[in-house]
Amino acid sequence: IFYFKQILLSNLSLQHQSWTDDLPLCQMCGVGTAPNCVYGPDGKGTQSHPNEDGHLRFRGDDGCFLYGVFNGYDGSRVANFASQCLTAELLLGQLNSGHTDNDVRRILTQAFDVVEKSYFETIDDALAEKANLSNYLLPHNESQKVMERLKELEQEVSGGATVAVALILNNKLYIANVGTNRVLLCKSSSDGQNQVLQIGRPHSTDNEDELQRLAALGLDSARIRQAGQIAGQSSSRRLGDYRVKFNYNEIDVLSAAKSKPVVAEPEIHGGQSLEGVTGFLLLMSEGLINALESAHGPEQANQEIVAMVAAELAQQTSLEAVAQSVVDRVKRLHHDVFVSGRQRATYCSRHEDMTLLIRTLNYPLADAALTPTQGGRICPVSVPYSNSQSTSKTSVTLSLVMPSQSTLTNGTNTASTLEEGTPTPGSQSPTATLQSTNTQTQSSSSSSGDGSLFRQRGSQAAQPDETGRVPPYVDFSQFYRLWGSDHGDGQSMQGGLGPQ
């Protein structure tokens, strides 16, 4: 193991295939990503820098699973290094089923310490050259070359990353967090409610515990809180970033510190038993959470992201599609708020890289092969109608929710800010809502609870009749009556509006 790790450390900084590419991936996990974006006045977005996030999702031996989300900044070097080095420190025989909770916490802490020290070993020579060149007074004709070299060295050694790692061992969950990423555990209870638990608080400039830690080092915590950032970042703990680790006495807000103020020591939670737990685990980069909170405010961000995940789990057939759909949705919400010009638009002019990792815990995915009566889902449908012969325009939205026939039902308490027309997880009965809006009149009708708009059929799929058709899942007669009434054309269902 020692020989292997020496080879790893010597090669991590090179741009080639990662050694972790050959490790088995966890199949109970999905990852969604989106690059950073800056919006122009016309609402079009452009990427301002290469993606700096990273993630890992590996299955080890002895029932061990390792997941991580890495939020890099000023380059992806530290995030890439940490993802590979942490894997080497945790999945090469260091953990086994005989370890106690204290053993696991100790091994996790040691792993982060090794990653931090090993990273700085890889940039030792560059830091030494940078310090050496900075101390020389050179003739003017040579200073330009020196300045260019110093710029190259700065790019090579700068940057850092925040990290959220989840470890499952012996069916227990352990979380190790450094910085401002977020971890949520969602448990679904037997009554269909989703219990959302945020594991740990971000290590940021508004974290009271962190401010007390910094104050104990002689720093002005009120000033740090007011600044909102430390050397350009909101995190008070991070991996890498030599400026705040070695040159912190040159940074005004940190200059009074008695010892290193910004550390890479993880806050560890667990082990928490997962025995009998049904739900999912979410690891989110700071960019994803910030984009959602910028668009909708921070009050319900956790519940909103859980509701999005639950809704996608009910519709998608792969975890990769679930995670990517949620990220894409947050990205659209953020963009739509910006172009709307509403009050929060000023907070949404840009967003950073976004990463979402979902790990299910005995939580079923939708089955695309099932019909609605067999437990499949019906997605919301929005159908605009207009009649060229009439001055009225009618917009009809038909939202249908068919709960799964399985024993698991998602909770309803987290869907408060979903987009209009999105199925609410946890509906206890089939529901159909038909809304018709007219320039002169507005009417709506809703039926819920008894499922009267749905044909009552057995669990077996309907067989086609002699014409090759099957009975419809939904009775649309109410829809056609409203449509005909709004248009005032006197047509009935039998007059050509209904299915023939």
Side-chain angles (χ1 to χ4, degrees), residues 370-377 402-409 457-459:
L370 294 179
T371 66
T373 55
Q374 293 173 313
R377 271 74 170 181
M402 178 73 81
S404 171
Q405 304 251 344
S406 66
T407 57
L408 175 65
T409 305
R457 300 194 295 183
S459 60

Side-chain angles (χ1 to χ4, degrees), residues 73-85:
Y73 60 89
D74 294 340
S76 60
R77 178 187 177 95
V78 179
N80 292 338
F81 182 93
S83 65
Q84 296 185 53
C85 193

Side-chain angles (χ1 to χ4, degrees), residues 30-268:
V31 177
T33 63
N36 59 89
C37 186
V38 179
Y39 303 124
D42 58 356
K44 294 183 179 179
T46 56
Q47 187 173 342
S48 61
H49 58 77
N51 195 344
E52 297 167 334
D53 278 6
H55 66 270
L56 58 86
R57 45 170 171 171
F58 298 122
R59 172 176 55 84
D61 298 327
D62 213 4
C64 181
F65 299 88
L66 181 65
Y67 312 95
V69 165
F70 303 82
N71 177 41
Y73 60 89
D74 294 340
S76 60
R77 178 187 177 95
V78 179
N80 292 338
F81 182 93
S83 65
Q84 296 185 53
C85 193
L86 269 176
T87 304
E89 289 297 322
L90 295 172
L91 288 187
L92 294 182
Q94 296 91 339
L95 293 163
N96 61 67
S97 58
H99 282 135
T100 65
D101 288 348
N102 286 335
D103 292 333
V104 175
R105 287 192 286 265
R106 173 180 50 81
I107 292 171
L108 282 169
T109 301
Q110 290 176 348
F112 276 81
D113 185 56
V114 170
V115 170
E116 175 87 339
K117 292 178 179 177
S118 299
Y119 168 72
F120 284 121
E121 287 178 6
T122 67
I123 63 172
D124 265 351
D125 292 342
L127 285 174
E129 183 182 354
K130 183 175 180 294
N132 189 41
L133 289 176
S134 299
N135 292 331
Y136 276 105
L137 293 175
L138 299 173
H140 178 72
N141 60 338
E142 297 183 21
S143 62
Q144 183 63 29
K145 293 181 180 179
V146 171
M147 294 301 295
E148 291 176 358
R149 178 56 180 161
L150 284 172
K151 185 177 180 180
E152 293 174 359
L153 290 170
E154 179 63 24
Q155 292 177 343
E156 183 177 341
V157 301
S158 64
T162 59
V163 184
V165 166
L167 173 70
I168 297 179
L169 181 66
N170 294 332
N171 208 23
K172 288 185 176 181
L173 173 65
Y174 303 85
I175 299 297
N177 182 50
V178 171
T180 48
N181 300 312
R182 188 171 299 184
V183 179
L184 300 180
L185 177 62
C186 178
K187 298 181 181 180
S188 295
S189 59
S190 57
D191 62 357
Q193 300 298 305
N194 281 334
Q195 177 189 2
V196 181
L197 174 66
Q198 179 174 330
I199 304 179
R201 291 191 60 198
H203 301 129
S204 61
T205 55
D206 58 2
N207 182 323
E208 291 296 337
D209 292 336
E210 284 297 283
L211 290 174
Q212 290 179 18
R213 180 181 69 82
L214 295 173
L217 298 177
L219 297 179
D220 186 343
S221 60
R223 185 182 177 194
I224 293 175
R225 183 199 295 273
Q226 184 178 13
Q229 290 186 338
I230 299 175
Q233 301 295 319
S234 63
S235 58
S236 57
R237 301 192 192 193
R238 58 190 81 162
L239 287 173
D241 200 338
Y242 82 94
R243 298 169 299 170
V244 297
K245 301 296 175 62
F246 303 133
N247 299 341
Y248 62 86
N249 57 336
E250 299 176 3
I251 299 173
D252 187 33
V253 74
L254 302 178
S255 59
K258 301 173 185 176
S259 60
K260 185 186 299 183
V262 179
V263 296
E265 180 182 356
E267 180 180 342
I268 299 177

